[in-house]
Amino acid sequence: MAADGARSRFGNLGHRGGGSNSSSPSSSPKLGGGRSRTPPQQHKQSPSSPGSKHQQLRQSPAASPGHSFKKVTLTKPTFCHHCTDFIWGLGGYQCEVCNFMSHEKCLKHVKTLCSCLAPSLVRVPVSHCFRPPGHCKKKFCAVCRKFLEDSWALRCEVCELHVHTDCVLFTCSDCRQCHHDGQQDHDTYHHHWREGNLSSSARCEVCKKTCGSSEVLSGMRCEWCGIQAHAACYVILNHECTFGRLRNMVLPPNCVILQSRNFSKMHCFRISESLLAEHDDDNETDGTTQESIKETPTSADSSKQSLKIYDGRDAVKRNHPRIISVPRIAKSEEVVEAALRAFYIPDDPQDYEVQTLTQQTLVSDDIINRNGATEDGKGSSVFKEATPEAWIIQAKPKEREIIKVYLGWMKVGVAYISIPVNLDNTVQSVIQEVLLQLGRLKENIEDFRLVEVLMGSKQVQRMVLPAEELILERLKDIRKTSIRQMNQTRFYLEENKKADVKIELLLSGLPVLLSNEEYNNILKDSLEIKENVVTVIPAYAPQGAVVLQISCFSEAERIFMLVKDTTVNNKQLTATIIPHIIHQKLPQSSCPLLVFVNPKSGGLKGRDLLNSFRKLLNPHQVFELTNGGPLPGFHAFSQVPYFRVLVCGGDGTVGWVLGALEEIRHKLVCSEPSIAVLPLGTGNDLGRVLRWGAGYSGEDPYSVLISVDEAENVLMDRWTILLDAQEVVDSMENGISEPEPPKIVQMNNYCGIGIDAELSLDFHHAREIEPGKFNSRFHNKGVYVKAGLQKLSHNRNLHKDLKLQVDQQEVELPNIEGLIFLNIPSWGSGADLWGSDNDNRYGKPRIDDGLLEVVGVTGVVHMGQVQGGLRSGIRIAQGSYFRVTLLKPIPVQVDGEPWIQPPGQIIISAAGPKVHMLKKSKQKQKKTSSSSKDSKGDSVTLSNDNGS
């Protein structure tokens, strides 16, 4: 897009010293107002200087918040970012910093802040958790507002932030706050607004008009409750967030404590490393490439030239410049303005200078008048025929400045206090001045500290400043390193008290059923734990897991990293960071949903669901089963008085979770949580019976959560299968042959002996050979069909190879090839093996009647006819206690897990109490006008389009 015509400024980037209304957090609904003891001094400017024109326009009532608008000539179809309508004609107004486009008539109504002011909106700095760079469909960059589809982009795993890899350095830590560190004390929660990437059908909560667009970045959405509004409307909404339609399912952030410090977001939210590429640990290099130089737009106009600009020593060291385009005969002020725009710096250009990048530049403190400016301040041309290869922009030294000191979690009613400082002011004097303005001079100054916080996009870095350090020298050092980092830096006043550190790690992979002393000795040998700061609790000895309570950050980090390379008895150890849920603070109506997702089920759909549920709910209630199994989730929720569970996976995954629940239910306050199923596997028979469908095919995850909330509670039987083989095995210790010890497995759906187990075994072996091919239900069923065709010629007399007792009574078997025990009325991907015909000999099957149905099949052809609905199986018996005697090795499968069972006894009996399951309601979900519901659906639909 060509940018021609006269420049017109509506608003200014603002001063860092005192700040304009547009750039002050007090003008943002995110923060309370600031307070200044002395008003900021205005810079004096000559009428002929560019700054004077900016100052005059800044006073205009039509001033736009932080934007630097310029009238441009449009060369392609363009839409207004304010009203989302098409801009007719050849002229429009574009912000030179963030590319915000506007009609001339809309300029005075623009409320959206420029990207350079994003740090001023941050309430609590929370870093993002970016996935590896990829291509995001139908998304816009939150920084430069441009379309992402054709460029490499990053997407946060926790919030809906999408950004170019080239723009990630200019985002700040404004992610959702999903937990706190125990020092905060607040029960209300504010909306967390994110601009743009809404559905084109999104409706404003205030004016009820369309606020979304597929053409531009427009509209605001709360990432907790999903409420949507125009940028001009959302400021009048109530600041308190009630979490919308999912309020009873969401784990409130103020009820979760996690002291993470240097743990990465990936570790805190248990995101598998396989899902995120290995990046450099340093925040500033993450997601940036040398392509940034190429991707920065430059002008093809022969009257202009491109310059390589660095913003400090850090950018020079990493070779991360920005490219700006300026006239070939340009004044220093124009170059400085262009450089500040390129780095999204909302400061007064007169406070900065540019100079040729040399070694002397990096070591010299005095940079005034080195770039062509004359002594009287009048600008002159700095670029003539020869242009240096690279330039650096640096701040001019100041003898007086105004800094903002944020008050952390001190309840004083204001977000920050503006403090004037000079060359003699130390950190201690700043603390004293803040306490003076707060009226707390009687308190001991040593009880407080000043903390410097760098709000980087991927890491929030904190540093306590020494009391004797000169504050202006500290500001000078930060700007020398990077003026961009200075824009993302805050100073917080905090109480100087020692935090009560308590970090909990769940360590699994240990030998089972050991004593506390034995576990301590193993961990001393393998991890060299320090007993004075580490307490070992063998809470889950039958599962080979212990809980480590650690009171030292460095020790917790050391153990967590060391576990990755530690094995005990040739078994890999795994460590999971467990959040602490303050169950006393949960609302009375709260019933948080504990979500388990198996990303290996259903191809890549499991990974998509993980991403969606993390954004719809609190990530601390979403657990990936391949990262520690179900135990970490149940342990985290062990004190929650009432919760539900959603299992996303196949029937085998559901059985895994139900088995883990059965083992540890005595340790849960809510010992019988209700369980819903989102089927991702191939058969999904349990999901069919409970009305959750034949398999997940991309439905809106928000609608899934609504269905879980409205589901009805039902009971289901579970069964224990005792496998007592008569086959002997050689003892490794003394060489004496001993009988193989009995094994116990749990059954939820069905148990098969014979031909159907043999087909499952063939499928299992094929999947082990080429696991990459088994990523769709269609392919999986094709493999089953192929295995079945190979068994057509097989003729087995299974009834001669086993004996059956039902409730202590011998049962004569017909001529069959397969014997199947049914707990649910669905088998083999939805087939009704028992049949619907009335039979006076047997009662109507139910999943909670305490009975199993025994059915026989005569072969592969019979199984195919059952699958096609042409026949049903051969009804044999119905009972509650079964004994099967195997006379030879026979294939056996339980809930889809097959093996060859040696000769011996198989005993099937009821297993403990019935489990509570959630059955999807038959009643269709009523259409609602709630914008929060619509918005959540739109949010997740868009995220699915990204193609995880």
Side-chain angles (χ1 to χ4, degrees):
M1 178 181 295
D4 302 321
R7 176 182 301 180
S8 176
R9 287 273 201 161
F10 289 83
N12 178 293
L13 297 179
H15 297 277
R16 173 168 298 282
S20 64
N21 288 337
S22 61
S23 62
S24 169
S26 63
S27 65
S28 165
K30 285 285 187 181
L31 292 172
R35 182 164 65 186
S36 175
R37 186 179 181 188
T38 57
Q41 297 179 354
Q42 300 293 335
H43 293 271
K44 295 181 179 180
Q45 301 174 2
S46 62
S48 61
S49 69
S52 62
K53 179 173 63 175
H54 307 334
Q55 182 69 19
Q56 293 168 7
L57 289 175
R58 193 184 308 134
Q59 305 296 339
S60 169
S64 301
H67 293 289
S68 176
F69 283 114
K70 177 182 179 181
K71 191 171 184 179
V72 295
T73 300
L74 305 179
T75 58
K76 60 181 180 180
T78 307
F79 292 80
C80 177
H81 291 199
H82 174 73
C83 66
T84 70
D85 290 339
F86 185 76
I87 301 179
W88 296 96
L90 299 178
Y93 286 83
Q94 182 180 34
C95 176
E96 295 182 288
V97 179
C98 68
N99 301 308
F100 189 101
M101 290 295 307
S102 174
H103 293 104
E104 183 175 6
K105 65 179 181 180
C106 293
L107 287 175
K108 61 182 179 180
H109 302 296
V110 172
K111 300 296 182 183
T112 305
L113 265 67
C114 184
S115 299
C116 64
L117 297 181
S120 69
L121 293 179
V122 176
R123 175 177 290 275
V124 179
V126 179
S127 58
H128 292 281
C129 181
F130 290 111
R131 64 180 304 131
H135 292 286
C136 299
K137 298 179 181 178
K138 302 179 183 179
K139 299 291 182 181
F140 294 88
C141 176
V143 176
C144 68
R145 311 183 70 90
K146 295 182 179 179
F147 206 43
L148 290 176
E149 192 160 0
D150 298 329
S151 306
W152 286 101
L154 295 167
R155 183 182 74 182
C156 181
E157 292 284 317
V158 179
C159 71
E160 284 291 344
L161 178 75
H162 298 77
V163 64
H164 287 108
T165 54
D166 188 42
C167 297
V168 69
L169 289 178
F170 306 103
T171 60
C172 57
S173 24
D174 61 347
C175 192
R176 286 194 302 164
Q177 184 189 12
C178 301
H179 61 264
H180 62 93
D181 59 5
Q183 298 181 12
Q184 300 94 320
D185 184 19
H186 61 284
D187 294 324
T188 60
Y189 213 77
H190 292 76
H191 292 295
H192 187 90
W193 296 105
R194 180 72 62 195
E195 183 186 9
N197 291 317
L198 308 183
S199 166
S200 56
S201 61
R203 295 283 176 178
C204 176
E205 179 71 13
V206 178
C207 66
K208 308 303 180 184
K209 297 180 180 179
T210 302
C211 61
S213 173
S214 60
E215 303 293 339
V216 294
L217 191 73
S218 177
M220 307 294 291
R221 177 182 56 228
C222 173
E223 294 187 304
W224 282 111
C225 67
I227 194 172
Q228 299 170 142
H230 292 101
C233 296
Y234 85 108
V235 294
I236 66 176
L237 290 170
N238 186 0
H239 300 332
E240 183 179 349
C241 180
T242 60
F243 300 103
R245 173 65 178 81
L246 303 177
R247 65 177 65 88
N248 293 333
M249 307 177 73
V250 173
L251 186 62
N254 63 311
C255 298
V256 184
I257 294 180
L258 182 62
Q259 296 173 318
S260 55
R261 203 177 78 160
N262 290 335
F263 286 120
S264 71
K265 294 287 288 290
M266 180 178 66
H267 295 149
C268 292
F269 296 129
R270 304 162 305 280
I271 300 175
S272 293
E273 297 182 16
S274 60
L275 298 182
L276 297 176
E278 293 292 331
H279 290 294
D280 191 285
D281 290 336
D282 192 326
N283 175 53
E284 302 305 332
T285 61
D286 287 351
T288 57
T289 64
Q290 292 303 315
E291 293 178 0
S292 61
I293 301 177
K294 300 177 182 179
E295 293 179 2
T296 306
T298 57
S299 174
D301 192 344
S302 60
S303 65
K304 295 186 177 182
Q305 60 182 333
S306 299
L307 302 177
K308 187 187 296 185
I309 301 289
Y310 295 89
D311 74 323
R313 296 172 176 173
D314 187 68
V316 174
K317 177 182 177 181
R318 303 174 190 279
N319 193 25
H320 287 163
R322 299 283 284 178
I323 306 299
I324 64 172
S325 179
V326 296
R328 292 193 175 276
I329 301 179
K331 295 183 178 180
S332 60
E333 289 88 347
E334 294 179 274
V335 179
V336 170
E337 283 189 43
L340 290 177
R341 290 195 297 267
F343 285 99
Y344 295 87
I345 306 299
D347 287 0
D348 191 335
Q350 292 196 356
D351 293 336
Y352 292 87
E353 299 267 347
V354 292
Q355 60 178 339
T356 306
L357 179 61
T358 62
Q359 187 62 30
Q360 182 181 5
T361 304
L362 300 179
V363 299
S364 173
D365 291 340
D366 182 17
I367 63 169
I368 301 179
N369 298 325
R370 290 195 178 195
N371 65 346
T374 57
E375 292 294 336
D376 59 3
K378 294 182 180 180
S380 62
S381 175
V382 294
F383 307 116
K384 298 181 181 179
E385 294 183 1
T387 302
E389 180 181 353
W391 295 74
I392 186 170
I393 180 170
Q394 295 186 352
K396 299 176 182 178
K398 296 181 180 179
E399 296 183 357
R400 182 178 178 84
E401 200 165 344
I402 294 178
I403 66 169
K404 296 173 182 176
V405 178
Y406 290 78
L407 303 176
W409 298 108
M410 299 171 63
K411 297 180 179 180
V412 293
V414 293
Y416 64 85
I417 293 179
S418 297
I419 302 294
V421 294
N422 54 38
L423 295 174
D424 299 326
N425 286 118
T426 62
V427 169
Q428 187 174 14
S429 65
V430 170
I431 296 175
Q432 189 172 8
E433 179 66 22
V434 174
L435 292 178
L436 173 63
Q437 295 199 33
L438 293 177
R440 302 177 65 168
L441 267 183
K442 293 182 180 180
E443 301 193 35
N444 189 352
I445 193 173
E446 295 182 357
D447 292 339
F448 297 89
R449 62 190 178 193
L450 193 65
V451 182
E452 177 188 315
V453 177
L454 174 59
M455 304 185 297
S457 60
K458 293 191 177 182
Q459 186 179 10
V460 178
Q461 301 179 22
R462 295 168 51 87
M463 183 175 69
V464 179
L465 298 180
E468 66 279 0
E469 184 170 5
L470 295 173
I471 195 68
L472 279 187
E473 286 296 317
R474 182 59 195 158
L475 297 179
K476 184 178 179 181
D477 289 343
I478 297 173
R479 290 188 176 109
K480 281 184 179 180
T481 301
S482 170
I483 60 172
R484 172 189 55 79
Q485 288 186 13
M486 186 65 225
N487 190 41
Q488 298 175 345
T489 299
R490 281 182 180 177
F491 296 98
Y492 280 85
L493 181 66
E494 298 179 352
E495 293 185 14
N496 194 14
K497 60 181 180 181
K498 188 176 181 180
D500 184 18
V501 179
K502 185 179 178 181
I503 303 166
E504 203 166 88
L505 297 181
L506 183 66
L507 197 62
S508 56
L510 295 167
V512 300
L513 297 174
L514 300 183
S515 66
N516 192 10
E517 183 179 355
E518 289 173 315
Y519 281 125
N520 267 293
N521 292 333
I522 290 177
L523 296 179
K524 285 179 185 177
D525 295 339
S526 57
L527 300 177
E528 299 180 355
I529 62 171
K530 301 175 183 177
E531 290 185 287
N532 60 325
V533 294
V534 180
T535 303
V536 180
I537 304 175
Y540 304 101
Q543 292 78 34
V546 298
V547 176
L548 303 184
Q549 291 184 347
I550 309 171
S551 59
C552 174
F553 278 121
S554 58
E555 178 68 1
E557 293 158 7
R558 185 189 69 83
I559 292 175
F560 185 82
M561 300 307 295
L562 188 59
V563 163
K564 296 180 180 180
D565 302 317
T566 303
T567 58
V568 174
N569 295 342
N570 296 322
K571 191 174 182 180
Q572 176 67 49
L573 297 184
T574 59
T576 307
I577 303 171
I578 303 296
H580 174 61
I581 300 176
I582 314 174
H583 60 91
Q584 300 90 340
K585 297 185 68 174
L586 288 171
Q588 290 186 352
S589 61
S590 177
C591 179
L593 184 68
L594 174 59
V595 181
F596 293 113
V597 181
N598 188 349
K600 294 184 178 180
S601 298
L604 298 178
K605 292 175 182 176
R607 294 186 178 183
D608 291 339
L609 284 170
L610 266 173
N611 181 268
S612 297
F613 286 141
R614 285 192 185 113
K615 296 180 180 181
L616 286 166
L617 303 169
N618 190 322
H620 287 301
Q621 61 189 115
V622 181
F623 289 78
E624 182 184 343
L625 286 172
T626 55
N627 191 6
L631 190 56
F634 284 127
H635 176 66
F637 276 63
S638 60
Q639 299 303 311
V640 177
Y642 185 44
F643 67 92
R644 288 181 166 187
V645 178
L646 172 62
V647 182
C648 306
D651 289 339
T653 302
V654 178
W656 183 13
V657 174
L658 289 175
L661 174 61
E662 183 65 30
E663 291 178 353
I664 65 169
R665 68 166 67 246
H666 62 283
K667 294 182 178 292
L668 303 179
V669 174
C670 178
S671 60
E672 296 181 348
S674 300
I675 298 175
V677 178
L678 183 58
L680 297 180
T682 302
N684 303 318
D685 289 290
L686 184 57
R688 297 170 194 264
V689 171
L690 297 175
R691 299 199 194 108
W692 295 105
Y696 178 73
S697 56
E699 294 87 357
D700 178 11
Y702 177 78
S703 299
V704 172
L705 295 179
I706 295 296
S707 297
V708 172
D709 192 42
E710 297 175 345
E712 56 190 73
N713 196 31
V714 296
L715 294 176
M716 186 182 76
D717 299 322
R718 293 190 76 232
W719 300 82
T720 296
I721 301 179
L722 175 66
L723 305 168
D724 188 4
Q726 296 176 349
E727 192 174 85
V728 296
V729 294
D730 293 333
S731 174
M732 297 298 294
E733 296 182 359
N734 51 27
I736 301 176
S737 297
E738 297 178 354
E740 184 178 347
K743 297 180 181 178
I744 296 178
V745 296
Q746 303 293 329
M747 184 188 82
N748 302 305
N749 299 349
Y750 41 73
C751 169
I753 302 175
I755 185 64
D756 74 312
E758 190 172 347
L759 293 180
S760 295
L761 194 62
D762 290 346
F763 174 84
H764 183 72
H765 289 160
R767 184 168 56 181
E768 284 185 336
I769 296 173
E770 296 179 300
K773 291 185 177 181
F774 290 77
N775 54 10
S776 72
R777 287 191 292 270
F778 180 78
H779 177 269
N780 295 351
K781 290 181 179 180
V783 175
Y784 268 116
V785 172
K786 181 179 178 181
L789 293 175
Q790 295 173 349
K791 308 293 182 183
L792 282 175
S793 60
H794 288 212
N795 184 18
R796 297 192 177 185
N797 299 317
L798 184 66
H799 63 288
K800 297 180 181 180
D801 299 331
L802 57 81
K803 297 179 180 180
L804 174 65
Q805 279 187 1
V806 179
D807 294 335
Q808 310 297 329
Q809 299 294 323
E810 291 283 345
V811 176
E812 184 178 353
L813 296 175
N815 188 359
I816 57 175
E817 286 194 49
L819 186 67
I820 301 163
F821 299 82
L822 298 173
N823 184 44
I824 61 175
S826 178
W827 168 86
S829 300
D832 185 3
L833 189 58
W834 181 259
S836 57
D837 296 338
N838 293 326
D839 192 333
N840 295 330
R841 296 176 300 167
Y842 309 110
K844 185 178 180 180
R846 299 199 322 267
I847 63 174
D848 63 342
D849 57 4
L851 300 174
L852 286 181
E853 288 69 47
V854 185
V855 186
V857 292
T858 59
V860 173
V861 174
H862 187 185
M863 292 172 62
Q865 291 171 332
V866 172
Q867 292 280 357
L870 302 177
R871 290 180 62 185
S872 58
I874 302 173
R875 296 180 181 180
I876 296 176
Q878 190 178 47
S880 59
Y881 184 85
F882 307 86
R883 179 186 293 269
V884 181
T885 303
L886 302 184
L887 304 179
K888 58 183 293 187
I890 296 177
V892 175
Q893 65 99 356
V894 175
D895 292 343
E897 298 297 325
W899 68 90
I900 299 293
Q901 179 64 24
Q905 302 288 327
I906 299 178
I907 299 176
I908 305 176
S909 59
K914 303 177 189 292
V915 293
H916 292 255
M917 304 298 292
L918 290 173
K919 192 172 186 178
K920 190 174 182 181
S921 176
K922 276 186 176 180
Q923 183 180 6
K924 291 186 178 180
Q925 188 178 333
K926 294 182 180 180
K927 200 169 184 179
T928 176
S929 59
S930 171
S931 64
S932 63
K933 175 179 175 178
D934 294 339
S935 64
K936 278 296 184 183
D938 295 336
S939 168
V940 180
T941 301
L942 285 168
S943 67
N944 285 342
D945 290 340
N946 288 343
S948 298

